[in-house]
Amino acid sequence: AQSVTQLGSHVSVSEGALVLLRCNYSSSVPPYLFWYVQYPNQGLQLLLKYTTGATLVKGINGFEAEFKKSETSFHLTKPSAHMSDAAEYFCAVTPNSGNTPLVFGKGTRLSVIA
Amino acid sequence: KAGVTQTPRYLIKTRGQQVTLSCSPISGHRSVSWYQQTPGQGLQFLFEYFSETQRNKGNFPGRFSGRQFSNSRSEMNVSTLELGDSALYLCASSLTVDRTGYGYTFGSGTRLTVV
C-alpha cells in the first residue's frame, strides 16, 4: 500500500524567499509521484510528476522537485516565491504500474507575505 | 479543448435526502475517478470507472455509489445524506486507467453542504 506524508499543514514565506514543501512517501513498489496545486474554489492542477528517468523534475510556474529514493522523499521547491503561489499543494503517489488510484497527502497551505 | 465539467458547482441538501452529482470528462478520456475532499481528511478516493465498469472502490459506505455512461460521463449518488457528507467532491479524468502519463485532470468540484 502507498501513503504520503506532507510535513507542515501550513507554510508561510516572504515574497522572493525560497519555497520548500516537504513530501515523504511510503510504497512497497517503485512509485510514481505527483505534485498538484489547488487555488481557492478550484480543482487540482498538475504541477509536475516523476515517473522514470531524471530524478530532478521541473514543472510549471518555476517549481521543481527531486525524487530521492534513499530518503523516500519528493520535496517541492521554488527559488523565489511570488504572491500568486499562495495556494494549497498536494503530493500524491501511485505504484509504477500506474493503474491504481492516486493516494494524496493531506496538503500544505502556502502563504506568501509581501 | 474543454476541461472536466462538474455540475452543479454548489448544492445544499437536508439530512436524509439523496443527491446526484455529474461529471463530464475531457473528450476522449475514458476513465473517471471521484474523490471527496474535506479539511480534516484531505482527498479520499471514492471510486473509479472505466468503460462503464467500476475498476476501483475506496473505503466508503454503500450509501455512496456511482456509474458511468457509454459517453464516459459519470454520476455519483449519495443516499441518506449525513452532516459528515458535507465536502468538496472532485471528479478527475484520465485517458485510460494507466495514469503514468500525466496523472489526472481535475474538475472544479461540487461543493455539497448538508444541513
Side-chain angles (χ1 to χ4, degrees), chain A residues 32-100:
Chain A
Y32 288 161
L33 295 155
F34 303 80
W35 274 100
Y36 284 85
V37 61
Q38 185 179 36
Y39 298 100
N41 299 316
Q42 293 188 28
L44 278 70
Q45 178 185 0
L46 181 66
L47 271 179
L48 49 80
K49 66 183 189 297
Y50 167 78
T51 53
T52 58
T55 56
L56 181 62
V57 179
K58 296 186 185 299
I60 63 172
N61 301 339
F63 284 94
E64 62 182 38
E66 186 170 11
F67 170 59
K68 291 187 176 180
K69 183 180 178 181
S70 61
E71 298 177 9
T72 61
S73 69
F74 191 56
H75 301 331
L76 182 71
T77 61
K78 182 174 180 177
S80 176
H82 190 272
M83 297 296 289
S84 61
D85 295 328
E88 187 143 22
Y89 292 80
F90 293 90
C91 182
V93 65
T94 188
N96 65 354
S97 59
N99 58 10
T100 301

Side-chain angles (χ1 to χ4, degrees), chain A residues 32 36 38 41 43 49 98 102, chain B residues 9 35 37 99-101 104:
Chain A
Y32 288 161
Y36 284 85
Q38 185 179 36
N41 299 316
K49 66 183 189 297
L102 268 64
Chain B
R9 286 296 310 274
Y35 283 82
Q37 184 180 14
R99 281 166 278 276
T100 56
Y104 297 126

Side-chain angles (χ1 to χ4, degrees), chain B residues 3-115:
Chain B
V4 179
T5 303
Q6 290 189 247
T7 56
R9 286 296 310 274
Y10 302 93
L11 207 49
I12 300 176
K13 289 287 189 178
T14 304
R15 272 181 301 175
Q17 287 187 310
Q18 67 136 17
V19 67
T20 300
L21 312 181
S22 178
C23 171
S24 293
I26 290 174
S27 178
H29 283 197
R30 296 168 61 193
S31 173
V32 173
S33 299
W34 290 88
Y35 283 82
Q36 180 195 66
Q37 184 180 14
T38 58
Q41 299 298 318
L43 282 96
Q44 293 188 288
F45 173 73
L46 281 155
F47 26 65
E48 175 186 24
Y49 289 87
F50 178 75
S51 294
E52 302 177 68
T53 301
Q54 187 178 91
R55 292 292 299 258
N56 291 291
K57 188 177 190 306
N59 188 26
F60 277 81
R63 299 184 298 107
F64 291 81
S65 63
R67 59 178 175 169
Q68 186 180 35
F69 302 96
S70 58
N71 62 357
S72 294
R73 189 178 71 85
S74 177
E75 289 182 347
M76 66 163 282
N77 183 277
V78 188
S79 63
T80 320
L81 284 166
E82 301 177 358
L83 295 179
D85 297 333
S86 295
L88 180 66
Y89 290 87
L90 291 165
C91 167
S93 79
S94 55
L95 196 60
T96 68
V97 292
D98 180 357
R99 281 166 278 276
T100 56
Y102 49 86
Y104 297 126
T105 301
F106 281 86
S108 296
T110 294
R111 172 77 60 187
L112 171 65
T113 302
V114 182
V115 298

